[in-house]
Amino acid sequence: MFRLLLVFLLLTTSQFAPAADPAQNTAAQSNYYVSDDIGVIMRSGPTNRYRVIGRLMAGTPIEVLATDTENDSSQVRTAGGDEGWIQSQYITDQPTVQALYAELQIEHDALKQELAQTKQQIADKENVIALNDQLQQQVSELQNESDKLRQQNELLKDRFHSDVFYAGALVLLVGMLISWVLSRVSMKRRQRSGWR
């Protein structure tokens, strides 16, 4: 908004300044534009008696080739290569509001695209942060599960050792019992047989 206001002020002040003669600047080949009217008629010669060969819209960039001060006309060439004569009062060396608007529109579109890219980058970063948080939560859950499994493993090891101990003690007791029983049986047989 500020730029448009600045452009408007520049254009209004340049209309009150003395008009520069385009013929003086043809050697330097400065940029010229068709002024901010709807458009101008381009003719095949410097006066209104020549036939109309086209129409130039406001803001069209032109090159001034020659100037006819007697008829206040200038021979111009467009960027497309079309040549003809228009009245010199419709030539300005200042970009028109339409040209400036087109430049601002291009700049606006570029900034809009840059903003969209920045938003996408921010969204991507937020997605990465969310994914990182999710992965950290999964790592924490896996760590807890690993701790539980380690505790269960320790309990199973303790239980196994105690089971092995009890089994060994039981085997020892059973062995001692069998040994005692066998010794008693053996003793009774000896007594029966009378052999001492």
Side-chain angles (χ1 to χ4, degrees):
M1 183 67 182
F2 177 72
R3 287 184 181 176
L4 289 175
L5 183 60
L6 183 62
V7 168
F8 178 75
L9 289 174
L10 285 174
L11 288 175
T12 54
T13 55
S14 65
Q15 289 179 354
F16 295 112
D21 186 6
Q24 296 173 353
N25 295 328
T26 54
Q29 291 192 2
S30 298
N31 292 331
Y32 292 101
Y33 303 89
V34 175
S35 64
D36 275 324
D37 294 318
I38 294 175
V40 294
I41 294 175
M42 188 164 63
R43 298 183 178 272
S44 59
T47 65
N48 289 341
R49 290 183 298 220
Y50 289 89
R51 66 183 174 87
V52 175
I53 58 173
R55 183 174 181 85
L56 298 178
M57 298 305 293
T60 303
I62 55 175
E63 179 185 348
V64 177
L65 303 175
T67 301
D68 182 355
T69 53
E70 183 179 333
N71 294 310
D72 193 27
S73 296
S74 297
Q75 186 181 16
V76 297
R77 179 187 299 139
T78 64
D82 297 329
E83 292 185 14
W85 291 80
I86 63 173
Q87 292 186 358
S88 298
Q89 65 181 352
Y90 297 119
I91 297 174
T92 178
D93 59 354
Q94 298 295 320
T96 61
V97 170
Q98 285 185 345
L100 291 173
Y101 175 76
E103 289 178 13
L104 290 174
Q105 190 65 39
I106 291 170
E107 186 178 345
H108 170 74
D109 293 342
L111 289 173
K112 195 173 180 182
Q113 185 177 4
E114 186 178 340
L115 178 63
Q117 290 174 352
T118 303
K119 283 182 178 179
Q120 183 62 41
Q121 289 174 351
I122 289 171
D124 291 344
K125 287 180 182 177
E126 288 176 353
N127 289 338
V128 168
I129 290 170
L131 182 61
N132 185 33
D133 292 343
Q134 184 179 357
L135 289 174
Q136 283 182 350
Q137 184 176 358
Q138 289 178 359
V139 166
S140 177
E141 290 173 359
L142 288 173
Q143 187 68 39
N144 290 339
E145 189 175 345
S146 174
D147 291 341
K148 286 180 184 177
L149 290 173
R150 191 178 296 112
Q151 288 175 357
Q152 288 177 357
N153 189 25
E154 291 296 328
L155 287 173
L156 287 174
K157 276 183 184 178
D158 291 343
R159 191 174 294 168
F160 175 76
H161 290 308
S162 63
D163 288 348
V164 166
F165 174 76
Y166 290 131
L170 184 62
V171 167
L172 183 63
L173 286 174
V174 168
M176 288 172 67
L177 182 63
I178 289 174
S179 162
W180 180 76
V181 168
L182 286 176
S183 69
R184 294 291 289 172
V185 169
S186 161
M187 223 191 254
K188 283 186 180 181
R189 279 187 187 167
R190 284 185 197 156
Q191 287 176 355
R192 282 189 198 158
S193 64
W195 186 79
R196 290 194 182 194

